[in-house]
Amino acid sequence: MTDRCKDVVYSSRVRFARNINSLPFPAKLSGEEEIYSVLMRGVEKALAPLGEFRMYRMNGLDPLDAQALVEKHLISPALVNSRYGAVMISTLQDISVMINEEDHIRAQCIVRGFDPDSAFKRLVQADKAMAENLDFAFDPKYGYLTACPTNMGAGMRASFMVFVPALTLTGALGSVINTLPKFGVTARGVYGEGSEAKGFMYQISNQATIGAGEEEILGRITKVAESFIRAERAAREDLARRGGIDLKDKIMRAYGILSNACKISSDEFMELIAYVKLGISMELVKADADKADELITLTQPAMLCKAAGKKLNAEERDMTRARIVKNALAR
């Protein structure tokens, strides 16, 4: 699997949860001065040698900018409402270090396609730099101490965003997902726990982290991702054999609507772009797969407002979305 498997794996992410010995967990935290001095300044100092990072403090951030960061998966929805929340984001926007979400530090690295090793190595650099400057809460028996017990131990979550239209349409996805718990893995929606799947996309990640090392967790979830890739590609071959003209018609109609619509809602876009991406992978649609993937982020509500340079109402967003999609597919 040397092509990074971008037709099935949209992105790979590794996340570390860390806390500071001298501070209570964020839910019990109070005292703005000590938060800024111990956490924010400490994280800034630690990351400085690794390259350019920019800090965003939630209490001073425009709500539209905050929502755009959520849509790009650089912060969680929970961080937006954190009174003392902040995030450090790398220039490449592959590493983000959330401060005072559920834990004092939640650092993550996201890379495109199926490349968990790169995400892990990049994040380890940031984690080691912070460990040299901050006193992480670590117990020899239990590992890293975290606000949620399921994150204790390695304090690590590895996840993949997978695009599995064929497994969904053939009805085989349920049986694949039912096998995940025995591997300590779960499937969630696009924005993690509590969110729903959109556009045939799911996030698969490990569950409890205690009792397993980082390499073991990464290896386990990688094997599960590889099984998704094999199963989805086999399902696509099966779908191509028996889908016939009805499937081709569904795909081409989706492409036709996206290429010509004057306005389109977010939910309709996610449904249609999923069929277009399936058509690209089946060589029925001649379009750039990477551009189709980019549209998923660019057409989110806050991103549309930022592109327009002003706040848009629902109809204006739908019109702007249609125009952006039409222009992208025409190139």
Side-chain angles (χ1 to χ4, degrees):
M1 296 188 181
T2 58
D3 62 352
R4 300 181 71 202
C5 306
K6 290 193 291 184
D7 62 312
V8 180
V9 180
Y10 177 78
S11 63
S12 308
R13 183 188 76 156
V14 177
R15 189 200 77 196
F16 291 156
R18 303 288 188 256
N19 288 280
I20 310 302
N21 257 326
S22 59
L23 293 175
F25 289 130
K28 299 291 185 180
L29 207 55
S30 64
E32 193 168 348
E33 184 178 348
E34 69 172 348
I35 293 167
Y36 286 158
S37 62
V38 175
L39 273 176
M40 296 188 182
R41 293 175 187 172
V43 172
E44 279 187 301
K45 178 182 177 182
L47 296 179
L50 300 183
E52 188 176 345
F53 278 78
R54 181 178 177 184
M55 176 173 280
Y56 301 84
R57 295 179 180 177
M58 295 300 109
N59 63 4
L61 192 61
D62 182 277
L64 198 61
D65 291 329
Q67 185 57 35
L69 293 178
V70 172
E71 292 171 357
K72 290 190 284 187
H73 297 275
L74 292 172
I75 66 173
S76 67
L79 186 70
V80 176
N81 299 317
S82 173
R83 181 181 176 189
Y84 301 114
V87 63
M88 292 283 291
I89 299 176
S90 66
T91 303
L92 296 176
Q93 295 200 341
D94 58 340
I95 294 179
S96 62
V97 180
M98 291 184 285
I99 302 170
N100 284 328
E101 198 236 29
E102 185 177 63
D103 294 288
H104 292 142
I105 293 172
R106 283 201 168 183
Q108 66 173 25
C109 181
I110 302 177
V111 299
R112 283 284 289 114
F114 183 59
D115 197 2
D117 290 336
S118 291
F120 178 72
K121 289 175 183 176
R122 283 276 287 149
L123 191 59
V124 165
Q125 284 184 308
D127 187 56
K128 287 182 177 178
M130 288 187 289
E132 291 174 0
N133 287 269
L134 299 165
D135 183 19
F136 286 159
F138 184 86
D139 182 270
K141 181 178 180 180
Y142 298 109
Y144 289 103
L145 304 180
T146 56
C148 179
T150 59
N151 288 323
M152 287 175 59
M156 171 179 157
R157 293 284 174 129
S159 65
F160 299 91
M161 196 76 74
V162 294
F163 174 62
V164 286
L167 284 173
T168 306
L169 294 172
T170 58
L173 182 61
S175 61
V176 175
I177 288 179
N178 287 339
T179 66
L180 297 182
K182 68 179 181 181
F183 298 105
V185 174
T186 186
R188 300 185 172 98
V190 176
Y191 289 98
E193 190 170 357
S195 65
E196 60 183 20
K198 292 184 177 182
F200 304 133
M201 293 180 71
Y202 294 82
Q203 185 182 122
I204 58 169
S205 65
N206 64 296
Q207 293 177 300
T209 67
I210 197 165
E214 295 170 349
E215 299 287 352
E216 180 183 346
I217 292 171
L218 193 65
R220 187 189 306 155
I221 190 69
T222 296
K223 287 181 179 178
V224 172
E226 289 171 345
S227 70
F228 263 91
I229 293 167
R230 289 191 294 269
E232 172 61 20
R233 287 180 171 171
R236 288 182 191 180
E237 291 179 4
D238 180 49
L239 198 60
R241 282 194 300 269
R242 61 188 180 91
I245 191 65
D246 289 336
L247 175 61
K248 183 176 181 180
D249 184 65
K250 181 83 172 178
I251 289 170
M252 300 315 294
R253 282 176 182 272
Y255 182 71
I257 292 172
L258 290 180
S259 299
N260 295 280
C262 294
K263 65 177 187 176
I264 188 165
S265 70
S266 179
D267 286 344
E268 185 181 13
F269 166 76
M270 286 300 294
E271 178 184 356
L272 296 177
I273 198 66
Y275 278 99
V276 169
K277 288 176 60 183
L278 176 60
I280 293 171
S281 72
M282 296 174 70
E283 299 183 347
L284 296 174
V285 174
K286 293 184 179 180
D288 190 312
D290 287 337
K291 286 182 179 178
D293 281 337
E294 288 171 4
L295 284 172
I296 294 173
T297 298
L298 295 176
T299 58
Q300 295 299 310
M303 293 295 290
L304 291 173
C305 294
K306 287 183 66 64
K310 62 179 181 178
K311 191 170 183 178
L312 304 174
N313 62 35
E315 185 173 55
E316 290 171 331
R317 290 196 302 270
D318 291 350
M319 293 169 62
T320 303
R321 182 180 294 109
R323 184 172 65 254
I324 290 174
V325 172
K326 185 187 303 183
N327 290 338
L329 294 179
R331 293 172 186 168

